[in-house]
């Protein structure tokens, strides 16, 4: 069967950055930064993104391009012996499942974003009743919009790598960046915004030793770069052989962290601008508000106070969120779909529809049992499964692919690889240092002092 391929480095970088840049950057990152001392969190996040997440991303991209297949088949093919193969298949399978589960909860939040975009439009058209329904939390609204969102994702994925993923990443990513820059300029000009900017940028070093901050930053770094669940692996499998992987991976890491930093410069100053207008931005605990109340109450309150212009800003903001979510969900759905195509011998259309229906059902159950299971699913998939799966991928790449195979694979795009700093450090790094660091961070979060 003919496999899809990205046509150039740019389209790969756009698609992989599209996967990486999502609600995790624009919502998750600023919210967690606001909860964990602003600048201190930013510093820890940047440190972990480059020290841990980039090498792990390289492991995934290399594995994918080497085997040119989905996560389960990749880990199976580089393993030797019964035990290793079973372990590989199991890891791959949990990866596929985790990607699907992430899509299930992600689609609910993405659905809220679409509902809020439509609500802002309804407001400008003075359709207040409809707008009210769209912004009110209800089972029916949640299920309708998460289903619509999964439907959109399905449309893109069923069109394949070039016509679906590549085309839409190329269209949506520039819109996202432009919208974001426009919003930042607007928000930073509002009174009060500079206090938020200061809080976001200036670190409070005392908070750096807080174990909760470190685990939270780790989870954020892995979630944000879409690691562990085979998204980057499958995107890696669509890269051309003569592509310079370390550079392509570095570009994705830079754009992902870049957008997270930009989002911090948008959301936290916006919060303080809202305070200036009389919106309460501190929770009862005395901490800055975060989570849904930040995005769906404080910011809309700010937009409302801004008068007529605020309505347009609200539309732009929620459109930005919806686009970011879509380019990420595309990559999540590609994980189970590519697995089904390559191992179950089904067509792309059939695979997309089957996985799509499954996701709609599971996300419906999550919506139904929202208060009791939503947070647990988020925590298990992103704070635990992603780092642990990433650890496994580093081990497979470092220990089972061996230096020679790695060298041959990467050299196709970088002929003088052996003399580069990357080659001097990375193979050992991914073999020993990354897994060790992930274990240390996860274990310390269990210790009594946390
Ligand atoms: N990286 C995406 C975000 O920041 C989320 C994601 C996780 C995408 C796992 C794919 C796989 O929102």
């Amino acid at each position: 069967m003919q496999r899809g391929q990205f046509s150039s480095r740019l389209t790969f970088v756009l698609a992989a950055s599209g996967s990486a840049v999502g609600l995790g950057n624009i919502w998750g990152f600023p919210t967690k930064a606001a909860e964990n001392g602003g600048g201190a969190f930013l510093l820890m996040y940047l440190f972990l993104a480059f020290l841990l997440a980039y090498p792990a991303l390289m492991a995934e991209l290399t594995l994918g391009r080497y085997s040119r297949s989905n996560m389960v088949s990749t880990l199976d093919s580089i393993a030797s012996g019964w035990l290793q193969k079973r372990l590989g298949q199991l890891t791959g399978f949990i990866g596929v499942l985790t990607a699907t589960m992430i899509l299930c909860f992600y689609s609910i939040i993405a659905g809220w974003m679409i509902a809020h975009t439509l609500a802002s439009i309804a407001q400008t058209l003075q359709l207040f009743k409809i707008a009210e329904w769209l912004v009110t939390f209800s089972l029916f609204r949640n299920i309708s919009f998460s289903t619509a969102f999964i439907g959109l994702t399905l449309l893109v994925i069923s069109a394949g790598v070039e016509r679906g993923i590549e085309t839409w990443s190329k269209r949506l990513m520039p819109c996202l960046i432009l919208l974001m820059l426009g919003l930042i300029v607007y928000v930073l000009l509002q009174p009060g915004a500079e206090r938020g900017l200061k809080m976001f940028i200036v670190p409070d070093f005392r908070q750096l030793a807080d174990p909760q901050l470190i685990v939270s930053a780790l989870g954020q770094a892995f979630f944000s770069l879409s690691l562990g669940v085979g998204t980057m692996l499958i995107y890696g499998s669509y890269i051309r052989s003569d592509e310079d992987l370390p550079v392509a991976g570095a570009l994705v890491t830079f754009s992902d962290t870049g957008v997270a930093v930009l989002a911090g410069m948008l959301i936290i100053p916006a919060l303080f601008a809202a305070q200036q207008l009389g919106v309460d931005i501190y929770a009862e605990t005395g901490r800055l508000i975060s989570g849904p109340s930040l995005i769906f109450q404080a910011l809309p309150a700010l937009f409302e106070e801004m008068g007529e212009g605020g309505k347009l800003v609200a539309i732009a903001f929620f459109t930005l969120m919806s686009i970011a979510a879509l380019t990420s969900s595309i990559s999540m759905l590609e994980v189970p779909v590519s697995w089904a195509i390559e191992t179950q011998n089904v067509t792309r259309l059939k695979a997309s529809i089957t996985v799509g229906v499954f996701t709609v059902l599971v996300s419906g159950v999550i919506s139904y049992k929202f208060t009791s299971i939503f947070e647990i699913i988020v925590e298990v998939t992103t704070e635990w499964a992603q780092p642990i799966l990433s650890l496994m991928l580093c081990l497979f790449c470092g220990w089972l692919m061996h230096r020679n195979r790695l060298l041959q694979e990467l050299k196709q795009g970088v002929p003088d690889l052996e003399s580069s700093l990357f080659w001097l450090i990375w193979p050992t790094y991914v073999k020993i240092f990354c897994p060790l660091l992930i274990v240390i961070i996860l274990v310390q979060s269990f210790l009594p002092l946390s």
Side-chain angles (χ1 to χ4, degrees), residues 269-350:
L271 209 55
F272 281 82
Q275 187 190 36
Q276 188 90 6
L277 291 170
V279 178
D280 202 359
I281 63 166
Y282 287 95
E284 275 166 19
T285 54
R287 286 179 163 233
L288 269 182
I289 57 161
S290 54
S293 45
L294 188 160
I295 302 288
F296 299 119
Q297 281 164 20
L299 295 185
L302 165 72
F303 302 146
E304 211 158 285
E305 294 293 331
M306 286 172 169
E308 282 307 303
K311 290 188 177 137
L312 286 182
V313 179
I315 299 177
F317 177 75
F318 287 114
T319 308
L320 168 79
M321 290 297 220
S322 310
I323 294 178
L326 184 62
T327 52
S328 297
S329 64
I330 294 172
S331 71
M332 293 168 201
L333 186 59
E334 181 63 12
V335 173
V337 166
S338 62
W339 167 79
I341 298 173
E342 290 169 4
T343 63
Q344 309 298 308
N345 240 331
V346 286
T347 60
R348 179 167 277 276
L349 187 65
K350 199 166 165 198

Side-chain angles (χ1 to χ4, degrees), residues 42 64 71 89 115 188 202 210 248 265 300 313 400:
L42 170 65
M71 186 166 168
Q89 287 163 353
L188 287 183
V202 182
D210 179 357
M265 293 171 60
V313 179
L400 300 186

Side-chain angles (χ1 to χ4, degrees), residues 185-228:
V185 171
Y186 188 83
V187 164
L188 287 183
L189 290 174
Q190 303 304 308
E194 73 291 342
R195 275 191 300 134
L197 192 61
K198 201 164 143 218
M199 153 162 197
F200 176 56
I201 290 176
V202 182
D204 171 3
F205 285 108
R206 281 166 310 170
Q207 302 213 20
L208 274 181
D210 179 357
Q212 198 42 49
L213 179 144
I214 305 176
V215 187
S216 180
L218 175 77
Q220 180 58 31
F222 279 91
F223 183 70
S224 187
L225 265 177
S226 316
L227 294 179

Side-chain angles (χ1 to χ4, degrees), residues 58-78:
M58 285 310 301
E60 273 200 43
L61 292 178
T62 314
L63 281 170
R65 197 178 67 177
Y66 172 77
S67 82
R68 298 238 175 254
S69 59
N70 64 86
M71 186 166 168
V72 180
S73 315
T74 300
L75 297 186
D76 179 35
S77 70
I78 62 163

Side-chain angles (χ1 to χ4, degrees), residues 212-415:
Q212 198 42 49
L213 179 144
I214 305 176
V215 187
S216 180
L218 175 77
Q220 180 58 31
F222 279 91
F223 183 70
S224 187
L225 265 177
S226 316
L227 294 179
V229 294
T231 27
M232 289 304 179
L233 191 149
I234 196 73
Y235 275 17
S237 79
Y238 301 140
I239 304 181
R240 294 200 331 223
S241 301
D242 57 358
E243 190 52 77
D244 184 334
L245 272 191
V247 168
L251 288 174
V252 175
T253 312
F254 272 113
S255 54
D256 183 52
T257 43
V259 172
V261 172
L262 284 179
M265 293 171 60
L266 169 67
I267 306 281
I268 302 182
L271 209 55
F272 281 82
Q275 187 190 36
Q276 188 90 6
L277 291 170
V279 178
D280 202 359
I281 63 166
Y282 287 95
E284 275 166 19
T285 54
R287 286 179 163 233
L288 269 182
I289 57 161
S290 54
S293 45
L294 188 160
I295 302 288
F296 299 119
Q297 281 164 20
L299 295 185
L302 165 72
F303 302 146
E304 211 158 285
E305 294 293 331
M306 286 172 169
E308 282 307 303
K311 290 188 177 137
L312 286 182
V313 179
I315 299 177
F317 177 75
F318 287 114
T319 308
L320 168 79
M321 290 297 220
S322 310
I323 294 178
L326 184 62
T327 52
S328 297
S329 64
I330 294 172
S331 71
M332 293 168 201
L333 186 59
E334 181 63 12
V335 173
V337 166
S338 62
W339 167 79
I341 298 173
E342 290 169 4
T343 63
Q344 309 298 308
N345 240 331
V346 286
T347 60
R348 179 167 277 276
L349 187 65
K350 199 166 165 198
S352 313
I353 294 177
T354 315
V355 182
V357 170
F358 175 80
T359 321
V360 166
L361 292 177
V362 178
S363 93
V365 173
I366 301 178
S367 287
Y368 185 61
K369 290 263 161 222
F370 191 82
T371 33
S372 48
I373 58 175
F374 183 81
E375 284 210 353
I376 300 177
I377 293 183
V378 175
E379 198 179 310
V380 171
T381 51
T382 63
E383 288 189 16
W384 292 99
Q386 278 195 283
I388 294 173
L389 286 163
S390 234
L391 177 148
M392 292 300 289
L393 286 168
C394 287
L395 292 178
F396 268 84
C397 178
W399 293 88
L400 300 186
M401 247 185 99
H402 303 297
R403 259 183 105 85
N404 268 347
R405 274 203 277 181
L406 283 177
L407 183 65
Q408 292 316 321
E409 179 52 44
L410 290 168
K411 251 185 129 168
Q412 298 176 71
V414 201

